[in-house]
């Protein structure tokens, strides 16, 4: 005959183990049926169009010029989108198979796999770089004024890329980062 040395059954989970907001004996208020139907009636009324909002036939005939003007204003001018895509001044970009860092006029963007974070220059307290003594690993750490830091490590294809990346990042920091801000 076998004997068990532990408890004969596994005790059930208490409410706090599954829900951190659980307090035994306290339950939340339940909505009454009258309040639920009143809310659904208000939602139905908001969906129905008002007759005052319907355009008149005269407005529809004369409104085409205004609509064309709005469409023309919505279309960006030539060079407007390109100016945002290609910022003036130096740009630093380094990436490997998982990590990526981009520093330009907008700020610093760090990416690792599908996670990313963006820092504007006024949100940055310091930027620190380090390289492995023997390896090809380049580490960039962004420090914020509220004493948080965000490191990212990039594997360089060759050891010579690390010194090249440090000089490019220094040029970007000299151009955009204001230590007195």
């Amino acid at each position: 005959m076998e004997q068990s040395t532990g408890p004969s059954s596994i005790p059930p989970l208490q409410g706090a183990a599954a829900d951190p907001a659980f307090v035994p004996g306290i339950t939340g208020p339940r909505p009454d049926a009258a309040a639920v139907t009143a809310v659904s009636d208000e939602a139905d009324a908001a969906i129905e169009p008002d007759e005052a909002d319907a355009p008149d036939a005269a407005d529809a005939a004369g409104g085409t010029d205004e609509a064309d003007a709005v469409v023309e204003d919505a279309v960006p001018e030539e060079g407007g989108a390109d100016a945002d895509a290609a910022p003036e001044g130096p740009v630093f970009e380094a990436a490997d198979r998982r990590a990526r860092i981009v520093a330009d006029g907008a700020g610093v963007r760090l990416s690792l796999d599908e996670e990313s974070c963006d820092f504007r220059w006024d949100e940055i307290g310091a930027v620190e770089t380090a390289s492995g003594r023997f390896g090809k690993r380049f580490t960039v750490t962004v420090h914020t004024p509220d004493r948080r830091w965000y490191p990212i490590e990039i594997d360089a294809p060759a050891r010579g890329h690390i010194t090249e990346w440090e000089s490019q990042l220094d040029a970007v920091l000299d151009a955009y980062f204001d230590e007195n801000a």
Side-chain angles (χ1 to χ4, degrees):
M1 181 190 237
E2 293 182 22
Q3 289 183 327
S4 63
T5 57
S8 61
S9 67
I10 298 173
L13 291 175
Q14 297 296 324
D19 181 14
F22 177 78
V23 177
I26 297 177
T27 59
R30 296 181 186 241
D32 59 346
V36 171
T37 56
V39 169
S40 65
D41 291 341
E42 291 175 7
D44 291 340
I47 293 173
E48 295 175 8
D50 293 336
E51 290 182 20
D53 293 339
D56 294 337
D59 290 341
T64 57
D65 295 333
E66 294 176 11
D68 291 341
V70 171
V71 170
E72 289 174 5
D73 290 341
V75 175
E77 296 177 12
E78 292 181 17
D82 294 338
D84 293 337
E88 298 288 325
V91 175
F92 169 72
E93 185 172 351
D96 64 3
R97 59 186 170 82
R98 294 185 59 205
R100 178 185 190 95
I101 179 171
V102 177
D104 57 12
V108 178
R109 287 175 295 288
L110 306 176
S111 302
L112 182 64
D113 294 331
E114 60 272 349
E115 300 295 323
S116 65
C117 55
D118 298 335
F119 301 97
R120 296 185 319 261
W121 288 112
D122 60 343
E123 296 175 328
I124 298 173
V127 177
E128 178 183 14
T129 62
S131 58
R133 184 172 177 187
F134 298 110
K136 299 183 291 183
R137 185 164 291 171
F138 181 62
T139 304
V140 176
T141 305
V142 176
H143 296 272
T144 60
D146 58 351
R147 296 185 181 177
R148 295 187 186 269
W149 60 92
Y150 302 88
I152 191 164
E153 293 180 342
I154 299 174
D155 291 327
R159 183 116 173 99
H161 281 79
I162 292 176
T163 56
E164 186 179 315
W165 284 347
E166 284 181 342
S167 64
Q168 290 175 357
L169 183 59
D170 284 341
V172 171
L173 292 175
D174 289 342
Y176 301 116
F177 184 64
D178 185 16
E179 295 177 10
N180 299 327

